[in-house]
Amino acid sequence: MLRHLGATHGPLMFHQSGGCCDGSSPMCYPVGMFRTGGSDVHLGTLSVDGIDPVEVYMSRSQFEYWKYTHLTIDIVDGRGSGFSIEAPEGKRFLIRSRMLDEGELSALGLVTRGAVL
């Protein structure tokens, strides 16, 4: 889906907010359509063969809740109620999550001597 959307809309980015409507779902936008700022955290960059790297951001307030969680952006059939560009395709992105294990927490500097920071 990202290859299709990239071919149709150009370079892409994701933003995950904690807002209303479908704001709890990851929103995919063409680069430049959504402006990030100081209240957003850059989570990383997705590398997908055939398209430009896809930056992933989350609102800082949402990140504080989810920083101990491994997040996977998935896509399923159905339409979300937000502004994400996959909606006309009859698909919607969603987040799947699991708690980080102790090794992952340690690697991210979120565990010190057995205590979660």
Side-chain angles (χ1 to χ4, degrees):
M1 180 54 66
L2 288 175
R3 284 186 201 95
H4 170 72
L5 293 173
T8 304
H9 300 281
L12 306 171
M13 58 91 64
F14 277 102
H15 187 269
Q16 172 74 42
S17 74
C20 68
C21 304
D22 229 11
S24 58
S25 296
M27 299 289 158
C28 185
Y29 300 103
V31 168
M33 182 179 274
F34 183 91
R35 296 179 69 180
T36 58
S39 63
D40 295 300
V41 175
H42 180 245
L43 298 179
T45 305
L46 303 175
S47 295
V48 178
D49 289 339
I51 65 171
D52 290 343
V54 180
E55 304 283 327
V56 181
Y57 295 88
M58 177 181 283
S59 67
R60 186 169 307 284
S61 60
Q62 188 75 3
F63 177 74
E64 287 305 313
Y65 290 111
W66 288 20
K67 67 182 171 186
Y68 304 105
T69 310
H70 177 275
L71 304 175
T72 301
I73 299 173
D74 200 356
I75 191 158
V76 296
D77 291 334
R79 290 189 54 143
S81 61
F83 302 104
S84 194
I85 62 172
E86 80 283 357
E89 307 295 331
K91 304 284 186 185
R92 67 184 182 99
F93 289 108
L94 59 83
I95 291 285
R96 298 196 188 273
S97 63
R98 67 168 173 77
M99 296 304 293
L100 296 171
D101 64 34
E102 193 166 321
E104 292 166 323
L105 289 168
S106 180
L108 293 170
L110 296 172
V111 171
T112 305
R113 291 175 260 171
V116 176
L117 299 177

